[in-house]
Amino acid sequence: MIAGFAVVGWLVAATLTAAPAVARAEVVAPADGYGFSVGAPMTWMSWDEAEGELDVMARTGASWLRVFIDWSRVEPMPGAYNWGYVDHWINGALDRGIRVLGLIGYSPDWARAPGVYFTGPPTDPEVFASFVKTVVKRYGDRVSNWEIWNEPNLPLFWGYLGDRAKGYTELLKAAYPAVKEVQPHSTVIAGGLSPAFAPDAPPTFVAEMYERGAKGYFDAMAMHPYVFPHGLQADTLNGWSDVERVRALMVANGDGDKKIWMTEMGAPTSAPSAEGVSEQEQAKQIVDGLRKAAQTPYSGPAFIFCIRDTDSADRDDREANFGIVKTDWTPKVAASVLAR
């Protein structure tokens, strides 16, 4: 489907879609605004699809886009760069009046140990820092907020490589001065932590980061306070309660003046067996999360994951159904609730 026609269809449908569970007037955003995170599909979707997603986002109250700068895609061989998709997303966001959070992560095969998946860390943090510096030099006139890695507390995004908190702290300690050398007044955000239980729970991970010397190497923390399928009141994933525990650790370590950015939040409309919720409940959980961030004085911007489903037809795939519009651009209830 051509993106331009898709977005026109979305606009028409969005005005007709009822939102019985949540009303637009109930959307309360945090003081620093809200936006969207798209994730890995940014790296492979067509330009028309990217334009469509940017247009959908621009027709909400969003003021931020989290752009994934995948080192493995941008520098597949040492010194050989392909900036095409990153340029497209960053320029497309800025052209629509949307600010950018740059998420830098993952490793090309030439920079990581044999047998380590591409989401795993590089063997040498200084090589990653060199790439980070290159990114900031390229986009520093347009972007000044940088998140270092995604969900490093999970094996999926770091690998089973011993002490993840230690390894991630070493990476952060290399990346932070690299950013500041190029852009001293930038904001460097420690990678968003996923809800997880011991030993991967965010409070455990952050405590270990501090023990390994992370203090002074980030300007803000990031969390992913998902609460699906049962919602904020149940908080079965410890999404928001772990935010509060991490905040307590930051205060105890003298970082009470730093914010926590909520760089992913949302809920999937997959089947109940795949931890999914109804469209009405998805909208409610998004609105509840934005309101909770707005009521949290130390919250930075909040980012909804994501704009568009990757495969709405596969309701057994949780990860494919987080969008506020379906794969064919049909709006869900959340799209109407967030529409300007």
Side-chain angles (χ1 to χ4, degrees):
M1 181 179 291
I2 301 299
F5 291 106
V7 173
V8 170
W10 177 77
L11 286 170
V12 173
T15 63
L16 300 176
T17 301
V22 191
R24 294 183 194 179
E26 295 179 3
V27 179
V28 179
D32 290 336
Y34 81 87
F36 286 88
S37 175
V38 176
M42 280 184 159
T43 68
W44 50 254
M45 72 173 68
S46 73
W47 281 42
D48 278 346
E49 289 174 313
E51 286 293 300
E53 293 209 14
L54 286 162
D55 284 343
V56 169
M57 177 184 62
R59 287 171 172 83
T60 70
S63 56
W64 286 91
L65 177 65
R66 184 183 187 227
V67 174
F68 176 34
I69 304 169
D70 182 350
W71 184 20
S72 71
R73 296 294 185 101
V74 172
E75 193 183 10
M77 295 183 292
Y81 298 101
N82 181 357
W83 301 102
Y85 89 86
V86 183
D87 286 349
H88 189 203
W89 281 100
I90 289 179
N91 293 335
L94 297 175
D95 287 347
R96 291 164 174 83
I98 304 294
R99 297 179 68 183
V100 170
L101 166 63
L103 164 63
I104 309 174
Y106 305 169
S107 305
D109 57 6
W110 57 267
R112 62 183 187 268
V116 174
Y117 192 52
F118 81 99
T119 56
T123 54
D124 184 354
E126 293 299 333
V127 177
F128 176 73
S130 177
F131 175 70
V132 168
K133 188 180 295 185
T134 300
V135 171
V136 179
K137 285 180 178 178
R138 182 176 182 85
Y139 298 111
D141 60 334
R142 289 160 282 173
V143 180
S144 60
N145 299 280
W146 307 99
E147 184 178 3
I148 306 301
W149 218 265
N150 176 66
E151 299 186 344
N153 62 317
L154 297 187
L156 175 62
F157 297 108
W158 193 263
Y160 294 90
L161 299 173
D163 189 335
R164 284 190 291 279
K166 179 178 183 293
Y168 176 67
T169 300
E170 290 174 352
L171 193 78
L172 193 61
K173 290 170 75 172
Y176 185 86
V179 175
K180 295 297 184 175
E181 181 179 332
V182 180
Q183 198 179 45
H185 301 296
S186 58
T187 300
V188 178
I189 300 138
L193 301 178
S194 172
F197 298 100
D200 299 324
T204 303
F205 193 85
V206 171
E208 291 176 356
M209 284 176 60
Y210 275 116
E211 289 174 5
R212 285 153 179 77
K215 183 176 172 61
Y217 291 96
F218 61 92
D219 302 315
M221 189 66 70
M223 295 282 287
H224 294 171
Y226 289 106
V227 296
F228 65 86
H230 300 300
L232 187 60
Q233 299 307 312
D235 198 14
T236 52
L237 294 176
N238 290 343
W240 271 101
S241 57
D242 272 353
V243 169
E244 293 161 358
R245 294 183 184 100
V246 166
R247 168 65 177 179
L249 284 166
M250 293 170 67
V251 171
N253 283 277
D255 281 338
D257 59 333
K258 296 179 180 179
K259 293 185 175 182
I260 299 179
W261 291 41
M262 314 303 169
T263 54
E264 286 184 27
M265 56 186 292
T269 55
S270 50
S273 59
E275 300 181 290
V277 300
S278 68
E279 289 188 19
Q280 289 81 5
E281 179 62 19
Q282 180 197 45
K284 181 179 185 301
Q285 290 191 19
I286 288 172
V287 169
D288 285 349
L290 292 176
R291 183 184 298 109
K292 181 70 172 178
Q295 295 169 346
T296 302
Y298 53 82
S299 176
F303 293 76
I304 299 163
F305 182 81
C306 57
I307 299 173
R308 178 173 169 243
D309 288 351
T310 54
D311 188 359
S312 304
D314 187 358
R315 298 195 66 244
D316 292 324
D317 185 348
R318 186 187 78 179
E319 299 302 313
N321 288 275
F322 274 89
I324 66 165
V325 299
K326 297 181 180 179
T327 309
D328 65 0
W329 305 94
T330 301
K332 301 179 188 178
V333 171
S336 295
V337 169
L338 297 170
R340 288 195 296 193

